[in-house]
Amino acid sequence: MPPAASPLAYVPFVSVENMMRLVHQHGVEPFLVGLADAIEEDYSRWEIFEKAPRLASHSREGVIELMPTSDGETYSFKYVNGHPSNTAKGYQTVAALGLLARVDTGYPVMLSEMTLLTALRTAATSAMVARYLAPSGSQVMAMIGNGAQAEFQALAMKAVIGIAEIRLYDIDPQATRKAAHNLADSGLRVISCASAEEAIEGAQIVTTCTADKAYATILTDNMVGQGIHINAIGGDCPGKTELHKDILSRAATFVEFEPQTRIEGEIQQMPEDYPVTEFFQVVRGDAAGRSDPRQITLFDSVGFAIEDFSALRFVHAKLQDTDYFLELDILADPDEPRDLFGMLQRARP
Ligand SMILES: NC(=O)c1ccc[n+]([C@@H]2O[C@H](COP(=O)([O-])OP(=O)(O)OC[C@H]3O[C@@H](n4cnc5c(N)ncnc54)[C@H](O)[C@@H]3O)[C@@H](O)[C@H]2O)c1
């Protein structure tokens, strides 16, 4: 029996089970509001972060991505996939895990599941952005694509923006039934629709959150009237978009990190000089958000590393004084730092 690992070897690990407990300890909606605030805070100090388009490994079926960033004190990265054909095989489209580390020593301080946390942070980001871009007093959201992300998006918009009605549509009615069932006691009026056109009737916010590795046209130009905020989540990879490009010609478009979104977002369909606003400028008050009630605003969301950093630091802070983590023996910790081989001998039979 080898001796137990020494204290520096252990890194807190937030399992899926513990993430679920943590979220429910706070309540899903308060958790989403707290997360939206944490993301907004990091958007307001955007310039100090290291930023680069994520490193993507593409295959016929999907993509695997690494998303690193640092604020100079803390470093994070997320491993995440995007495989639209996965659900037919019983796997999820998106699964993720992430790590937070100290910059001064390079030692990890937390490892976490991030499949749930990605859904939470994506929804919190959508709602935080809608604070600035959605028509004031927005009450109704259309939710096109009722898969894994859908309920999180609905609840974040309820908690942060105050929407009262969600209009669901998915090409697969089973997905809509699932989402309607999960939202039944949410306090939202839930309307299941038979088409995307029906779903967007009367909506001030339209969220597209579909998964298809194609230049899809979930929304066509004639479907989008004035005074709408489009929260486009699903177009997040080269060759994978959701909006007809004529909509982009009429919209004021906001992005996370322009160099990444030019590659991955809806704007990959547009010329290089198509104008966009990086959203941190709106948070900082350096650029306008919605400037006219009749405007069409578009958040061309692809997901950026800083949002994952915010989510991981938010969870890390919430872990204090809880037992919602396991201590994993992840780091080799020799008695003397250079005696790694000597440490190996601890387990010699
Ligand atoms: N922007 C971000 O930060 C971010 C974060 C997470 C996920 N995503 C993307 O969001 C999308 C949805 O993710 P998910 O985890 O909910 O996937 P999912 O596979 O669980 O759900 C996708 C749903 O879209 C539906 N769909 C496909 N084509 C459609 C169409 N033409 N009209 C209506 N519905 C259609 C499917 O039937 C399915 O129910 C994915 O493309 C994913 O890559 C983006």
Side-chain angles (χ1 to χ4, degrees):
M1 185 70 178
S6 50
L8 280 182
Y10 290 104
V11 176
F13 165 60
V14 186
S15 64
V16 174
E17 183 186 344
N18 277 324
M19 186 64 77
M20 296 191 292
R21 292 169 69 207
L22 181 68
V23 172
H24 284 299
Q25 185 204 13
H26 295 275
V28 179
E29 290 185 38
F31 194 90
L32 284 163
V33 173
L35 200 45
D37 292 342
I39 294 167
E40 189 171 39
E41 194 182 312
D42 286 338
Y43 264 72
S44 72
R45 57 190 195 109
W46 189 261
E47 269 139 5
I48 67 167
F49 283 93
E50 278 179 6
K51 294 175 283 295
R54 58 188 159 195
L55 190 60
S57 171
H58 295 282
S59 62
R60 199 160 28 92
E61 297 82 8
V63 64
I64 295 176
E65 295 160 331
L66 287 178
M67 302 173 68
T69 190
S70 164
D71 69 354
E73 275 183 24
T74 305
Y75 174 95
S76 74
F77 79 84
K78 178 168 86 171
Y79 167 98
V80 63
N81 76 313
H83 285 64
S85 58
N86 261 5
T87 52
K89 303 177 215 155
Y91 293 84
Q92 291 182 91
T93 298
V94 176
L97 58 96
L99 184 138
L100 204 61
R102 289 169 58 145
V103 167
D104 59 352
T105 58
Y107 266 40
V109 295
M110 189 184 78
L111 181 65
S112 180
E113 87 77 39
M114 282 197 83
T115 306
L116 277 166
L117 194 54
T118 292
L120 291 157
R121 80 81 155 115
T122 305
T125 303
S126 293
M128 186 276 286
V129 169
R131 264 182 191 151
Y132 297 85
L133 299 185
S136 65
S138 290
Q139 289 285 296
V140 180
M141 178 166 90
M143 183 76 227
I144 303 176
N146 303 154
Q149 312 298 318
E151 297 89 338
F152 297 89
Q153 291 285 327
L155 292 176
M157 289 294 185
K158 171 176 181 273
V160 175
I161 298 298
I163 63 160
E165 178 174 314
I166 183 89
R167 302 176 65 82
L168 302 170
Y169 171 68
D170 194 292
I171 37 166
D172 179 356
Q174 176 57 31
T176 302
R177 277 196 290 278
K178 177 266 320 178
H181 172 77
N182 285 337
L183 293 170
D185 62 0
S186 64
L188 285 166
R189 198 161 48 249
V190 181
I191 316 276
S192 299
C193 300
S195 66
E197 286 83 352
E198 187 187 334
I200 65 177
E201 252 170 49
Q204 294 89 35
I205 302 173
V206 177
T207 294
T208 54
C209 195
T210 65
D212 192 0
K213 208 167 184 311
Y215 293 110
T217 42
I218 306 303
L219 297 181
T220 52
D221 191 34
N222 61 329
M223 290 163 74
V224 180
Q226 292 183 331
I228 298 276
H229 173 57
I230 304 171
N231 176 43
I233 304 291
D236 60 354
C237 207
K240 179 165 172 266
T241 58
E242 295 182 303
L243 308 182
H244 192 283
K245 66 181 180 151
D246 288 353
I247 299 171
L248 279 79
S249 306
R250 293 162 58 212
T253 298
F254 299 81
V255 301
E256 292 147 313
F257 179 56
E258 184 177 346
Q260 181 175 308
T261 312
R262 291 268 173 210
I263 300 166
E264 301 179 350
E266 296 300 324
I267 60 170
Q268 66 185 275
Q269 307 177 72
M270 304 306 278
E272 276 300 304
D273 60 353
Y274 173 76
V276 299
T277 303
E278 285 192 324
F279 191 72
F280 80 93
Q281 295 186 294
V282 178
V283 173
R284 294 265 295 265
D286 297 335
R290 169 169 292 275
S291 51
D292 182 329
R294 289 163 306 168
Q295 203 177 19
I296 299 167
T297 51
L298 166 63
F299 177 42
D300 186 1
S301 162
V302 293
F304 190 61
I306 295 173
E307 295 147 9
D308 298 310
F309 176 101
S310 311
L312 286 167
R313 77 164 173 84
F314 180 76
V315 166
H316 187 246
K318 294 273 180 244
L319 285 188
Q320 309 314 315
D321 305 321
T322 77
D323 63 352
Y324 297 161
F325 57 91
L326 306 167
E327 293 277 18
L328 289 192
D329 166 22
I330 286 187
L331 296 174
D333 186 30
D335 296 335
E336 197 274 302
R338 288 164 300 181
D339 193 14
L340 188 61
F341 190 83
M343 190 203 77
L344 176 64
Q345 305 315 306
R346 286 183 200 160
R348 203 164 63 179

